[in-house]
Amino acid sequence: MAGYREIYAAWKKDPEAFWAEAAREIDWIEAPRKIFDPSAGTYGHWFPDAVCNTCWNAVDRHVKGGRGEQNAIIYDSPVTQTKRTYTYDALLDEVSTLAAVLQGLGVSKGDRVIVYMPMIPEALFAMLACARIGAIHSVVFGGFAAKELATRIDDATPKLILTASCGIEPGRIVPYKPLLDQAIEMASSKPLSVVLLQRSQLAASMMAGRDHDWADVMAKTRSAGRKAECVPLKATDPLYILYTSGTTGVPKGVVRDNGGYMVALKWSMKALYGIDPGEVFWSASDVGWVVGHSYIVYGPLLHGATTIVYEGKPVGTPDAGAFWRVIEEHQARALFTAPTAFRAIKKEDPNAEFLKKHSTSSLRTLFLAGERADPDTVQWAEQILGVPVIDHWWQTETGWCIVGNPVGLGQLPVKHGSPTVPMPGYDVQIVDEAANPIPDGKMGSIVIKLPLPPGCLPTLWQNDGRMVESYLSEFPGYYKTADAGFKDEDGYLYIMGRTDDIINVAGHRLSTGGMEEVLASHKDVAECAVIGIKDALKGEQPCGFVVLKSGVTRSPLDIEKELVGLVRDKIGPVAAFKIAITVARLPKTRSGKILRGTMKKIADHDEWSVPATIDDPAILDEIGDALKAKGV
Ligand code: COA
Ligand code: AMP
């Protein structure tokens, strides 16, 4: 392969030729004759006339091509003391049988199926079975509460839900079924069926008529000899919907198509990650996140690689050597995780003593994404592992990397603090509020010139209007990333933070607006503001300020405890909302806007000045005192 600069220039010169060439790596039912249609959808569609099936490319194709006996999935679960492998042959059997189960329950092309499952191979079978028959899956992360699940059920209106009896967090079993039953109860759209995998750790109760036992329906379908074939789909048909935090409590349903996604992911496996078919790729994320969709499931499998499904944590399952053990035991060539995982390991084992017990010689590269990779963590990882540590920047919306360091094309020099350079397909620019370019070295809004490349969201689920309003209208001709940063003289990008109210907690994307909605729903709360404050382990953690209604005489401490419980209950433990602080008033501008930015600087002990537009400067001192009193 040619080097990055050549490849990027070739893409820029003729984007359609570039993607037409990349599309040759896919098995099409009808190959694309037209590469891009700028008149379709909100900004155009890739491969508008092609026909394909993603499950075929991720599974059947490899069996047909002689990889049937190679491991497709390695399941390693320290929380259940289980290890299991599935060859591509076995994967095909599981997926085609489960797809037949779905068909038997009335699911067909275009129907939505929610997948609410822990990190077990069956979650991958579920996704691939949907892909096989053209059903649109929507995976919901296990750390969300019933209300979040209900919101997704109402937006996606699934015909069927695939789930398991429980997830396992260190030291605690998370019963999924009560959450699911509650969510279905709350939702106005009711699924016709639920297929539930009973795990040995916890048995779930079943509702007659609606709920089906996974093992039972699989066994029956097997003994009847029923398997589902791959259904031909338009490249532009949706493969999945993945909900992500927006600026309000209503999440955005990011839609992913089949054809463009396959082309982009397949290209990325070699060019960006430097992986060859047959090698082991480990993404230590969760299938509930975009990283899980793209690089636990689809990317590695489309490439004929072996993927690791890890049901555990970087620390505590059982110790800070867990990652090194998994790399050694399964001979992983690349590890992809969030910087917070390495901060957690470093905190527990600063001298990397656990690493001495393992050989990580199989590892060629560590990839980090999901949040800003702080130079200290990158340096530490480089030192202990002795391999390149590659930060790369992307979003749920894009589905794959925007800015990275393509090691497969020849690694570019690493500059700590920068995820390096735009991938082909992305013309990344830094602009001011009026969409004018900003000189190198100066901070601005990061935008991507339209069209977005294959793999990126074509729209939000049944909501072109919100797609345009959220991403395409503010900077005409560009996609708004809602990240801010700058470019240096070598064209390296630096991603410094969000321009909206989204925060990043342990690599998880959360909406402070959503948390404010929950706090405001408490009967004693008059107004509130949630900000993300610095956290040494998780990058950021949410911190909520509340003003109580006049006449409330209950203890503020009790109310604060209730508020912490309320966010856990309504959004889920993943929100990691632990700090609620009662204050007499919130600092505002004269026009009534809450000064969240200044509050954040005070909480982070950064330098701050009194904004000229402030209504009453004394309130800022009150905020500082309240934080101090809470030990923040
Ligand atoms: N189901 C149910 N609960 C879950 C969950 C799941 N799938 N995942 C997390 N939670 C819970 C945790 O148990 C925790 O609950 P607690 O408040 O009772 O302790 C809470 O949600 C917050 O979880 P988390 O943010 O993961 O914090 P942690 O303290 O448990 O672990 C790290 C900290 C750094 C070890 C952990 O965040 C981690 O491994 N991060 C990697 C980041 C990552 O994979 N990001 C994905 C994008 S690449
Ligand atoms: P998500 O959609 O959950 O993947 O989160 C996307 C957001 O995470 C981005 O908009 C960034 O704010 C942040 N992010 C992801 N990767 C990086 C990175 N490598 N560097 C800085 N920020 C990142």
Side-chain angles (χ1 to χ4, degrees), residues 102-135:
L102 298 181
Q103 282 179 333
L105 291 168
V107 177
S108 58
K109 182 172 157 180
D111 287 337
R112 275 79 57 212
V113 171
I114 280 190
V115 178
Y116 185 58
M117 296 185 73
M119 278 294 290
I120 53 178
E122 287 82 355
L124 282 69
F125 305 161
M127 294 163 76
L128 291 162
C130 290
R132 191 168 188 85
I133 59 170

Side-chain angles (χ1 to χ4, degrees), residues 5 372-375 378-379 382 389-391 405 411-421 486-494:
R5 305 237 173 244
R372 184 174 150 73
D374 53 291
V378 174
Q379 247 156 18
E382 280 171 348
V389 176
I390 305 295
D391 177 21
N405 192 335
Q411 190 195 311
L412 299 170
V414 169
K415 295 193 195 183
H416 291 158
S418 166
T420 317
V421 290
F486 62 93
K487 209 185 259 187
D488 75 8
E489 63 288 357
D490 297 324
Y492 278 50
L493 269 295
Y494 292 76

